[in-house]
Amino acid sequence: MKRTTVQAALVPACLVLAASLTACGSDANSPASSGAKATGSTTTNGSSTDCPTGTINGEGSSAQKNAIELAITAYQDTCSGATVNYNPTGSGAGIKQFIAKQVDFAGSDSALKTVAVDGVVEADAAAKSCGSPAWDIPMVAGPIAIAYNLPGVTTLTLNAEVAAKIFNGTITTWNDPAIAALNAGASLPATAIKVFFRSDESGTTENFTKYLHAAAPAVWTADPSKKWTGKGEGKEKSAGVASAAAATPGGVTYAEWSYATQNKLGVAQIDSGAGAVALTGESAGKAVAAASQKGQGNDLALSLKYDTKEAGVYPIILVTYEIVCSRYADKAKANGVKSFLKFFASPEVQSKLESAGYAPLPAAVQAKVAAAIAAIS
Amino acid sequence: MTTSTPSMAARSAAAPAPAPPRTEQRSTGRLGDLIFAGAARGSGVLVIALVTLIGVFLVAQAIPALLKDQASFLTSREWTVAGDAPRFGIAELAWTTVSASIIAMAIAVPVGVAVALFITTYAPTWLRGPAATMIDMLAAVPSIVYGLWAVLSFRSVVRPVEDLIQQRLGGIPLFAPTGVSGGTIFFIGVVLSIMVLPIVTALSREVFAQTPTSHREAALALGATTWEMVRTAVLPFGRPGVISAAMLALGRALGETIAVTFIVSSLAPGTPWSWSLFNGGETFASRIANNAGEFDSAQKTGAFIAAGLVLFVLTFLVNAVARIVIQRRAAFSE
C-alpha cells in the first residue's frame, strides 16, 4: 500500500521534471563561457583593467540582458575580487531604483527624459539623487528584427511603408501586391498575416514605432510609445512574441535579433531606398555611427536617424544605455562602476557581442564612451 | 519538556490548591497558558490588521490615479495610463477574468466532484490512496510549469476543439470565430480548470468521506443502486462542502497570475468589442504582472493598483458568498 503511493507520486513528478527541463533547454548562453576565456587572456596585457574589489549593482533594461551577462562573466573572470549584479527588470524599474539610490547604475533602452512625464523629470531627479549630473552612456546596440514565419520563404524584403502597413493591419495577406513588388521573383503564399506585438510596455516597442513613425509618417500616424498602437495579438515579452510567431504560420513580429534567430524565424531585409540591407552586426553598427549626440558633454544620449536613406545601413535599432552618476559620493562605487564599464566598452568585449545578437559600438562611438567613462569620479 | 517539568512541580507544590477547577478554563496564570493565549490572539489580530492594511494601501495608492482618470473606470475598455489625461477602465479585464474563471468552474466542478465520488465510492480500496495522491500532485505543479506546458504542448490539443466549436456554433456571439490564434479566453479557462481541479477534488473527497455510514447503508438497504445511494445520501450531505470547494477554486482561478500571463493573447488597442470566448484578452492579474517592470510614475502604478483593488474586492466577495452559502446550507446536512 505504502509503496504504491510513493510510486504513484514519483512517476508524475519525473514527467513534470523532464518536461520543464526540455522546455528550458534552449538557452543561448554558450557564447558567455567561450567569451570569458578569450577575454581573460587578451585584456590582462593591454587595456589595464584595474580591478577594484567590492560589489556594484545594476538594474534595468532586459534588452541588454544577454550582453551584460556576457560582460559580467568575462569581467569576473578577469577581476576575481569584483562582483557585478544586474537585475533585468525593465528600463522603467531600473531608472526608478537608480533615482531611489538602490542601485549603482541603471540600464535603460532610452536616455533619461529631460521633459516632465507625469510630473517627474527623470534627468533632474537622477541628478538630484546623485548630487551631480547623471550621464547616459550608450553601451549596447541591439538591432530589432522584423521576424516572420513563412515556410519556404528564406529572404523577404520590406521597406518602412510596407512594414508599417503590415503592423497596422492594412496589408493582411503575404501575397499582397505591395509586398510582391519589393520581392520580385519570390513566391509568396496567400497565408493571412498574423501580427504579434509586445503586450507589456517595452523599449523595443518604443524604438520600433519610432522607426515606423519616422520612416513612414504617412502610414504610421500614431506617436511612438512604449505601448503598442498598431494591430495584432499581444504576447508577453520578447520570448512570448517570438515563440508565438514561430508557432503560427504567417506570423510576424518585431523582436531583438537574438530572439528571431533562436526561434528560427526569418529576418526581413530592409530597403530604405538604396537597396535591400540584411541585418548584420555591421549594418546595424552603421546606424549607431550615423546617430548624432543629443546630450551635452559626456552625456552621450544619442539621437538615431531612423529615416536614413543611406546604403548599407540597417535602420531599426535600439541603443541601450548605462545610466551613471558623473560623480559618486562613495569612491569605491565610482571605481567599481568605472572599471566594469571600461571593460564592457572595450573592443575585446564589444566584438564578442555579435554572437549574442547585438551590434558592437562603432569605433568613433567607442572612443567617446571611453572618454566619458574615464571622466566618472 | 524536561526543563519545564521541575518548575511546574515546584509551582504546584508551592500553591495551596493544586488542581484548578476544570470548568474555569480561561487561564491558570501559568506561563505556557499566557504565551499560548497571547500568541493565538496576536496571530488573529495580526492577520486582520494585515488584510485591512493591504486594503488601505490599495485604496490610498489607487485614489490619486482614479481622480485623474478621464474615462469611466468601471465601463471603459481603454488603458492609457501615462500622460496628463489618462484614460483607463476595467471592463475588458473584468470580462476576461470572470468569463475565463466561469469556464474553469464549469469544467472543474463537475469533473472534480465526479473524481471525488469515484475515489470515495466507486474505486477499489487499493486504488483510493494512489488516486488521491495523483490528484493532489496536480496542485504541486508550479503554475509557471502549467504556463509552459499550456503554450508549448497543450495548445495544439485544444485548438481543434476550438475550431470545431467555432464551425458548428459560430452563429452564437459567444462562440463567434475571431482571428486570435494563441491564448483565447476559452483556452485560459481550460488550463485554469486543470489548475483548480485538485482543490475541488480534495475538499469534495473529504466531505463525501464523512457521509455517515448509517445514511449510506440505509439507502442501500432500501434497495438503492450505488448511483441512487450517492444521489440520495452522499450528494445532499456533501453539498455545502462542494460549494465551498468551488468558491475556493474560483478565488484561485480569478487571481491566477503567472500561467495566465504566459498564455494570454492581449488585444491591440481599438480592437472592436466581441462577446466571443475565442477572443483574446488580459485578466487583471496578468496585466498587472506583465507591466510591473515599467511602473515608473506614481500615476501609472496607481492605475494598475486600482485594477488590483477591483480584483481584491471581487475575490473578497466570492469568499463572502461562499461563507454565507455554507452557513445557510449547514442546517440541511444534519
Side-chain angles (χ1 to χ4, degrees):
Chain A
M1 179 69 182
K2 193 102 190 190
R3 188 174 297 158
T4 33
T5 318
V6 172
Q7 277 172 351
L10 276 178
V11 170
C14 297
L15 285 176
V16 165
L17 251 178
S20 62
L21 280 177
T22 34
C24 305
S26 61
D27 201 29
N29 273 340
S30 49
S33 51
S34 59
K37 266 178 214 138
T39 38
S41 58
T42 47
T43 42
T44 38
N45 50 14
S47 60
S48 70
T49 311
D50 47 336
C51 284
T53 52
T55 303
I56 56 167
N57 299 307
E59 179 170 345
S61 162
S62 55
Q64 57 166 295
K65 173 175 169 276
N66 291 343
I68 201 166
E69 280 175 356
L70 191 153
I72 288 173
T73 315
Y75 178 67
Q76 292 180 345
D77 266 15
T78 316
C79 295
S80 53
T83 309
V84 181
N85 300 312
Y86 185 78
N87 192 2
T89 50
S91 304
I95 291 173
K96 208 173 167 184
Q97 296 290 339
F98 178 70
I99 291 173
K101 295 191 182 175
Q102 298 295 308
V103 291
D104 306 315
F105 69 95
S108 174
D109 298 341
S110 48
L112 289 171
K113 295 199 170 48
T114 47
V115 293
V117 177
D118 302 333
V120 180
V121 183
E122 284 175 355
D124 293 352
K128 201 176 157 203
S129 150
C130 284
S132 61
W135 289 342
D136 304 290
I137 300 185
M139 191 57 73
V140 180
I144 301 171
I146 298 182
Y148 62 91
N149 175 0
L150 277 182
V153 180
T154 46
T155 49
L156 179 75
T157 306
L158 300 174
N159 62 20
E161 198 178 315
V162 171
K165 280 182 177 169
I166 288 174
F167 282 96
N168 76 8
T170 318
I171 295 177
T172 54
T173 53
W174 282 109
N175 61 357
D176 190 278
I179 303 177
L182 291 169
N183 295 278
S187 66
L188 295 164
T191 325
I193 296 178
K194 294 257 186 204
V195 173
F196 293 96
F197 67 86
R198 289 278 296 268
S199 60
D200 52 326
E201 296 194 5
S202 88
T204 315
T205 304
E206 189 180 25
N207 281 279
F208 183 61
T209 50
K210 266 184 190 166
Y211 163 73
L212 294 177
H213 187 69
V219 184
W220 196 268
T221 49
D223 282 329
S225 86
K226 287 186 169 182
K227 189 170 157 256
W228 181 243
T229 41
K231 288 282 170 282
E233 197 174 325
K235 285 287 172 187
E236 183 206 14
K237 309 243 153 72
S238 297
V241 288
S243 64
T248 316
V252 64
T253 189
Y254 57 94
E256 288 85 3
W257 192 13
S258 56
Y259 289 95
T261 42
Q262 272 173 35
N263 286 281
K264 302 192 172 56
L265 292 165
V267 175
Q269 303 180 329
I270 301 297
D271 184 346
S272 308
V277 182
L279 170 49
T280 61
E282 195 197 348
S283 63
K286 281 186 184 164
V288 186
S292 55
Q293 184 183 344
K294 71 177 175 194
Q296 285 171 354
N298 281 322
D299 180 9
L300 298 176
L302 298 176
S303 173
L304 294 167
K305 268 187 80 181
Y306 290 108
D307 55 350
T308 181
K309 297 221 170 358
E310 226 174 293
V313 177
Y314 183 88
I316 323 173
I317 59 165
L318 71 80
V319 172
T320 71
Y321 300 88
E322 312 304 337
I323 295 171
V324 297
C325 295
S326 51
R327 184 193 301 273
Y328 282 88
D330 182 349
K331 202 77 193 145
K333 290 289 182 200
N335 286 337
V337 170
K338 262 176 94 162
S339 162
F340 172 63
L341 293 186
K342 188 176 176 185
F343 181 80
F344 197 174
S346 67
E348 290 87 2
V349 175
Q350 289 283 325
S351 63
K352 300 281 183 308
L353 294 180
E354 191 170 339
S355 62
Y358 298 91
L361 293 175
V365 181
Q366 267 182 31
K368 279 187 182 177
V369 167
I373 293 169
I376 296 173
S377 60
Chain B
M1 199 56 185
T2 42
T3 48
S4 71
T5 322
S7 74
M8 278 169 72
R11 238 171 225 258
S12 53
R22 276 239 158 148
T23 46
E24 186 81 78
Q25 291 276 336
R26 282 182 64 84
S27 170
T28 56
R30 284 184 191 148
L31 188 61
D33 275 0
L34 287 176
I35 291 177
F36 182 75
R41 201 171 290 136
S43 309
V45 171
L46 185 73
V47 168
I48 294 170
L50 210 58
V51 173
T52 317
L53 284 175
I54 290 174
V56 169
F57 160 80
L58 290 175
V59 172
Q61 295 273 309
I63 282 178
L66 286 176
L67 288 178
K68 273 193 162 179
D69 191 358
Q70 305 292 310
S72 159
F73 180 64
L74 290 178
T75 58
S76 169
R77 293 175 56 221
E78 290 170 273
W79 195 266
T80 308
V81 291
D84 290 332
R87 299 181 64 82
F88 56 92
I90 53 149
E92 211 169 85
L93 299 177
W95 162 253
T96 312
T97 308
V98 173
S99 51
S101 302
I102 290 175
I103 294 172
M105 287 302 103
I107 299 171
V109 173
V111 175
V113 169
V115 171
L117 284 175
F118 169 73
I119 291 173
T120 53
T121 310
Y122 289 94
T125 324
W126 61 267
L127 187 63
R128 291 182 186 182
T133 314
M134 288 289 282
I135 299 291
D136 290 346
M137 281 295 301
L138 280 178
V141 178
S143 81
I144 184 72
V145 174
Y146 274 113
L148 278 170
W149 169 72
V151 169
L152 298 176
S153 161
F154 193 48
R155 183 76 198 110
S156 52
V157 178
V158 178
R159 190 80 240 226
V161 180
E162 287 188 356
D163 288 342
L164 190 74
I165 300 176
Q166 289 182 35
Q167 274 170 23
R168 294 288 160 82
L169 303 169
I172 306 169
L174 213 51
F175 303 116
T178 64
V180 175
S181 61
T184 59
I185 297 175
F186 180 81
F187 183 54
I188 296 169
V190 173
V191 175
L192 283 178
S193 75
I194 299 170
M195 297 179 71
V196 302
L197 190 64
I199 300 178
V200 180
T201 309
L203 288 176
S204 305
R205 202 182 69 220
E206 290 302 322
V207 286
F208 291 158
Q210 282 168 18
T211 313
T213 322
S214 55
H215 289 202
R216 291 171 182 259
E217 288 177 350
L220 293 173
L222 288 171
T225 61
T226 312
W227 158 235
E228 283 165 343
M229 184 271 286
V230 164
R231 211 177 37 151
T232 54
V234 179
L235 284 182
F237 181 85
R239 192 171 294 138
V242 172
I243 291 169
S244 69
M247 290 297 168
L248 264 180
L250 182 55
R252 165 93 202 265
L254 288 172
E256 174 51 41
T257 308
I258 288 299
V260 175
T261 309
F262 221 74
I263 301 167
V264 286
S265 284
S266 62
L267 300 169
T271 312
W273 172 255
S274 161
W275 289 104
S276 176
L277 295 178
F278 299 110
N279 208 351
E282 284 177 289
T283 66
F284 285 110
S286 76
R287 178 165 288 174
I288 297 170
N290 206 356
N291 289 286
E294 299 291 333
F295 286 178
D296 46 10
S297 72
Q299 173 192 317
K300 221 178 192 177
T301 314
F304 283 98
I305 286 184
L309 179 64
V310 178
L311 180 60
F312 181 77
V313 173
L314 197 64
T315 316
F316 194 80
L317 285 179
V318 166
N319 284 336
V321 168
R323 290 210 157 273
I324 293 169
V325 169
I326 294 161
Q327 271 166 9
R328 283 191 151 182
R329 293 281 183 159
F332 286 78
S333 63
E334 292 303 318

